[in-house]
Amino acid sequence: MHHFVNDLAQFVSGKFSVRVEGNYGEVEESARYLLHLVACKFPAVHWKAIRKAVHLRTFMELRLVDKSVSFIDEIPHDLLIKLKCLRVLSLEGIYHKGLPDSVTGLIHLRYLDLSGAKMHMLRESIGSLYNLETLKLVGCSNLQELPNDFHKLVNIRYLDITFTSLKWMPLFMSALTNLQNLSDFFVGKEYGSSIGELGVLSDLHGSLFIHNIEHIGFVDSEKAKLNEKEFLQKLTLEWGENSDTENSQQEKAILNMLQPHINLKELSIYNYLGTEFSNWVGNSIFRNVLFIELKGSKYCCKLPTLGKLPSLKELRIAKFDGLVSVGSEFYGNETCSSVVTESFGSLETLRIENMSAWEDWKQPNETNKAFAVLKELHINSCPRLTGDLPINLPSLTLLVIRDCKKLISSLPTTSSLRVFNIDNCGNLKFPSRIYQFNQTLTSMYLHNSFDSLELLSLDIFPNLKSLDVSGCKNLKAITISGKMRLRPPILDSLCSLSISNCPKLVCFPTEGFFAPKLTLLSIDNCEELKSLPPKMDHHMPSLIELQLWRCPQIQPIEKWPTDLRSVSIWNCDQLIARQLEWKQSNPIDFTDLTASQAFTVKSEDCFSTITSSTLVSEIDRKALSSSSQKKSFVKRVFR
């Protein structure tokens, strides 16, 4: 049906609408709409091919390839003179230095997209496009200024200057009273429009990113009247990354004046220079706010009260270099009360990152119910944090803690956790009440953490699909708790098991474990490990990839799993050197091993007694005699 409708549309449009791909021939004079689909890596715009199409209303480039691909053809000076009927001109990604002066002839142009162009500035003549309503300059990374006559574009409604290098806005921006979408406003230090020019632009919609707020004076900030722009959905306020101040109170006063309308949904504040935030940040009157990001407030010593925002779903906090403690002010219950209150009642995602001085996280009193629906908690790179983490998070499904070496707090209790990711947190203790979330856990990553952990029981995680343990320096054994009645225990959800850099790991459960869905088993740099789980051929029927690296004491494998597709063995000297010796007194079928499509063996010492040619010949002879049905067999033995 879709193809039928498409064919019908093309038939009805006839020669008026032309759709071409790649290189194309001459476009007829009757064409009104031309769509060029860029489907190859190095296309070219054939300007000569459209010289006859003087009645074109629309010329668009639609790119189906990587955005980084650039065009090299330049726009002929006289071409735009002939295309006087153009309403839409989209040249996204075309490599050129800018439009020629003949653009002034496109008096009917409504839509102009030059996104990705490599120009440093727009020509002054663009100010004559009085009917222009949309101008897109997204990703013009070399663009440093807009023309002085920009204010003459009195009908412009949509201006997108995201990811440009503008230093200031042209003068008289207040003349663009029809402007409804303004992506960015750059405040110049000495030149350009002041932020006060935004005051009369009362119809702004969508998002607005205000750059270089350190250049704003108090009077100008008041004239901006952001609190009157009821259609703004997202506001970003940014002080320069390397900026500084001698008056933090003035910075707070300026932030006060930049208070948005209460309809706002998303707020981001970067590199704020005050010591504390304005009271409007976190005020419960902002009932529609869903997202807040506060980043780079190097002088701020406390967080604003955000716990009373009724609709807040995601909160990101980062790089508060002066923040040492988070207390009751964060939740909004600074006074003691016997009345039960709720903080962060709608928050689902909390990210706290790169807090170099943060040491203490005080939890609210017992009458405050906080984080009732929190699903994701991320705490990254907080090297001085010791505690305390939130105690009860009933809805938590994802817990990520990284690079918090001094953290000694108990982990949150929850009955819904699915992903448990702890990295570089050596002082943490493995939760003694792990049973509180073991039934729901599907992925567990323990990297360079839990230095006190010696035994890890697999069978208490019945739904675990992926286990990755690395750098647990005191881990001695992977065990079975004894709570399961079946012997060997069945881990019928486990798909991936990786263990690395555990120098004291000695063994797996002696009775083994049944893992019918396990496809990957990887063990690396476990110097004391002497054996793999027994009966792998029966207990791991789905195993297709086996990696054994730097485990010098691992003993020979009695029976290899038959469905292996990839085997990688590196510096497992006992395994390699004794595999053939074991064969002489045990009925080992090496064809199980050679059934692998990729078989890699590398060792430094074993080849002094067992040469690579001997190993190959023993394997190869058996493989060819009893596995001739194999269509492909790849062996690589590295010296």
Side-chain angles (χ1 to χ4, degrees):
M1 178 61 73
H2 171 74
H3 295 292
F4 173 76
V5 174
N6 181 64
D7 292 342
L8 178 62
Q10 290 190 16
F11 174 77
V12 173
S13 60
K15 296 181 180 180
F16 292 101
S17 297
V18 180
R19 170 180 163 175
V20 294
E21 296 185 24
N23 298 329
Y24 54 93
E26 191 171 74
V27 180
E28 297 184 13
E29 182 178 355
S30 59
R32 297 293 187 271
Y33 309 99
L34 173 60
L35 174 61
H36 180 206
L37 296 176
V38 180
C40 58
K41 192 171 184 180
F42 298 105
V45 179
H46 298 281
W47 303 112
K48 293 181 180 179
I50 60 176
R51 288 183 180 274
K52 289 186 178 181
V54 294
H55 300 294
L56 270 181
R57 272 28 172 207
T58 299
F59 178 38
M60 296 187 68
E61 298 283 343
L62 182 60
R63 307 177 62 185
L64 306 179
V65 292
D66 193 296
K67 294 289 185 181
S68 63
V69 174
S70 298
F71 296 82
I72 57 175
D73 287 17
E74 299 224 354
I75 305 172
H77 177 77
D78 61 338
L79 176 65
L80 296 183
I81 297 178
K82 297 181 178 180
L83 302 179
K84 292 184 177 181
C85 297
L86 272 181
R87 266 70 167 173
V88 175
L89 177 59
S90 176
L91 303 176
E92 179 187 359
I94 293 183
Y95 184 92
H96 59 84
K97 297 179 181 179
L99 294 172
D101 284 331
S102 54
V103 70
T104 57
L106 304 180
I107 57 175
H108 300 292
L109 197 64
R110 304 292 201 275
Y111 181 100
L112 178 59
D113 187 353
L114 302 176
S115 297
K118 305 301 179 182
M119 55 190 172
H120 292 275
M121 63 177 295
L122 280 174
R123 294 186 180 274
E124 292 289 340
S125 54
I126 201 171
S128 62
L129 302 179
Y130 303 117
N131 291 309
L132 191 65
E133 296 179 355
T134 298
L135 176 59
K136 298 181 69 175
L137 302 170
V138 180
C140 295
S141 56
N142 295 332
L143 186 63
Q144 297 182 6
E145 59 180 295
L146 296 174
N148 293 327
D149 286 345
F150 197 82
H151 63 278
K152 294 181 179 180
L153 300 177
V154 292
N155 287 306
I156 196 164
R157 297 174 180 271
Y158 186 100
L159 175 60
D160 194 342
I161 47 179
T162 308
F163 304 123
T164 62
S165 298
L166 294 177
K167 305 299 182 184
W168 57 78
M169 303 300 290
L171 293 172
F172 312 118
M173 285 292 294
S174 57
L176 307 180
T177 54
N178 288 312
L179 201 59
Q180 295 181 359
N181 289 87
L182 175 62
S183 66
D184 298 74
F185 191 97
F186 296 85
V187 182
K189 185 175 183 179
E190 298 177 354
Y191 304 99
S193 287
S194 70
I195 197 173
E197 299 275 340
L198 290 175
V200 298
L201 305 182
S202 57
D203 201 25
L204 289 180
H205 290 62
S207 62
L208 174 62
F209 193 136
I210 303 178
H211 303 257
N212 307 324
I213 293 181
E214 71 274 12
H215 298 156
I216 295 177
F218 177 80
V219 175
D220 287 333
S221 63
E222 186 178 15
K223 292 180 180 178
K225 298 181 181 179
L226 295 183
N227 60 342
E228 297 181 7
K229 304 187 189 315
E230 59 181 310
F231 303 113
L232 269 185
Q233 301 291 300
K234 179 180 180 180
L235 176 64
T236 302
L237 305 174
E238 181 186 53
W239 281 254
E241 187 172 1
N242 298 317
S243 60
D244 212 333
T245 184
E246 296 180 354
N247 189 343
S248 61
Q249 290 302 313
Q250 180 176 336
E251 302 299 331
K252 181 180 179 181
I254 290 174
L255 183 60
N256 273 332
M257 291 297 101
L258 296 179
Q259 177 177 337
H261 193 275
I262 60 174
N263 289 343
L264 195 73
K265 292 185 177 180
E266 297 185 25
L267 172 67
S268 298
I269 301 178
Y270 301 143
N271 308 319
Y272 172 57
L273 295 176
T275 56
E276 61 179 11
F277 283 84
S278 303
N279 291 332
W280 66 263
V281 179
N283 194 309
S284 59
I285 63 172
F286 289 90
R287 303 190 59 83
N288 297 321
V289 168
L290 303 173
F291 172 90
I292 290 182
E293 182 175 18
L294 307 176
K295 181 178 180 180
S297 301
K298 57 185 178 181
Y299 298 130
C300 210
C301 55
K302 70 175 184 177
L303 293 177
T305 299
L306 301 173
K308 297 305 179 183
L309 292 169
S311 302
L312 184 64
K313 290 185 177 295
E314 183 172 354
L315 174 60
R316 299 181 183 181
I317 300 171
K319 293 186 177 181
F320 277 62
D321 295 340
L323 183 70
V324 175
S325 178
V326 174
S328 58
E329 75 286 344
F330 181 50
Y331 300 90
N333 58 325
E334 297 188 57
T335 58
C336 296
S337 174
S338 58
V339 179
V340 177
T341 58
E342 184 178 62
S343 299
F344 297 104
S346 299
L347 193 67
E348 296 180 355
T349 302
L350 174 60
R351 292 178 178 268
I352 305 179
E353 301 175 329
N354 301 307
M355 307 282 276
S356 59
W358 186 30
E359 298 177 359
D360 183 36
W361 188 357
K362 294 181 175 65
Q363 298 306 314
N365 57 49
E366 296 180 355
T367 61
N368 184 283
K369 184 181 179 181
F371 305 118
V373 299
L374 189 69
K375 296 180 179 179
E376 297 185 17
L377 176 59
H378 303 255
I379 303 177
N380 299 327
S381 299
C382 302
R384 297 186 180 182
L385 179 65
T386 58
D388 288 323
L389 300 182
I391 299 173
N392 184 27
L393 300 176
S395 302
L396 193 68
T397 60
L398 172 64
L399 176 62
V400 179
I401 305 177
R402 294 174 178 161
D403 298 317
C404 300
K405 295 183 178 181
K406 293 187 177 182
L407 186 62
I408 57 175
S409 169
S410 298
L411 294 175
T413 58
T414 176
S415 59
S416 56
L417 194 67
R418 296 178 62 84
V419 179
F420 185 58
N421 189 333
I422 310 296
D423 187 358
N424 202 19
C425 301
N427 286 327
L428 270 180
K429 293 186 181 299
F430 199 70
S432 58
R433 297 182 177 181
I434 194 76
Y435 62 84
Q436 292 184 334
F437 59 78
N438 65 344
Q439 298 296 317
T440 58
L441 198 64
T442 60
S443 300
M444 183 159 62
Y445 307 91
L446 312 178
H447 289 193
N448 304 304
S449 302
F450 303 113
D451 290 348
S452 61
L453 180 65
E454 295 184 356
L455 304 176
L456 181 61
S457 298
L458 288 180
D459 57 321
I460 63 174
F461 306 105
N463 294 303
L464 192 66
K465 295 181 179 180
S466 176
L467 174 61
D468 189 341
V469 180
S470 178
C472 292
K473 59 185 182 181
N474 289 311
L475 181 65
K476 295 180 179 179
I478 304 297
T479 66
I480 299 300
S481 68
K483 294 181 179 180
M484 296 186 73
R485 297 180 180 179
L486 294 175
R487 286 293 182 270
I490 299 177
L491 308 178
D492 53 5
S493 295
L494 191 63
C495 297
S496 173
L497 174 58
S498 299
I499 302 175
S500 62
N501 303 310
C502 295
K504 295 185 179 181
L505 181 66
V506 175
C507 64
F508 285 92
T510 55
E511 69 269 39
F513 55 88
F514 187 57
K517 295 181 180 179
L518 187 69
T519 58
L520 169 65
L521 176 60
S522 176
I523 303 176
D524 177 22
N525 197 26
C526 297
E527 297 178 355
E528 298 296 321
L529 184 63
K530 293 180 173 58
S531 63
L532 294 174
K535 299 182 180 180
M536 291 171 56
D537 56 323
H538 294 298
H539 292 173
M540 302 177 185
S542 301
L543 192 66
I544 60 176
E545 184 174 359
L546 176 62
Q547 298 175 354
L548 302 176
W549 296 351
R550 298 182 294 179
C551 298
Q553 298 193 50
I554 284 186
Q555 299 301 305
I557 298 173
E558 297 181 20
K559 191 75 172 178
W560 295 82
T562 57
D563 289 336
L564 281 172
R565 299 177 187 174
S566 175
V567 177
S568 178
I569 303 174
W570 177 40
N571 281 1
C572 298
D573 299 338
Q574 291 290 325
L575 172 63
I576 299 173
R578 296 185 60 188
Q579 188 73 64
L580 291 178
E581 297 176 11
W582 181 275
K583 168 185 159 307
Q584 295 174 0
S585 59
N586 294 273
I588 299 174
D589 189 358
F590 275 88
T591 58
D592 294 339
L593 175 62
T594 59
S596 302
Q597 294 180 359
F599 171 41
T600 303
V601 178
K602 183 175 181 181
S603 187
E604 296 176 356
D605 301 326
C606 69
F607 290 102
S608 60
T609 57
I610 303 290
T611 64
S612 61
S613 59
T614 302
L615 182 61
V616 171
S617 62
E618 287 291 333
I619 295 173
D620 214 7
R621 180 172 59 82
K622 292 283 186 177
L624 293 176
S625 63
S626 58
S627 298
S628 57
Q629 75 276 13
K630 292 288 295 177
K631 293 183 179 180
S632 63
F633 168 42
V634 181
K635 303 185 301 295
R636 297 194 304 272
V637 181
F638 295 91
R639 201 175 189 89

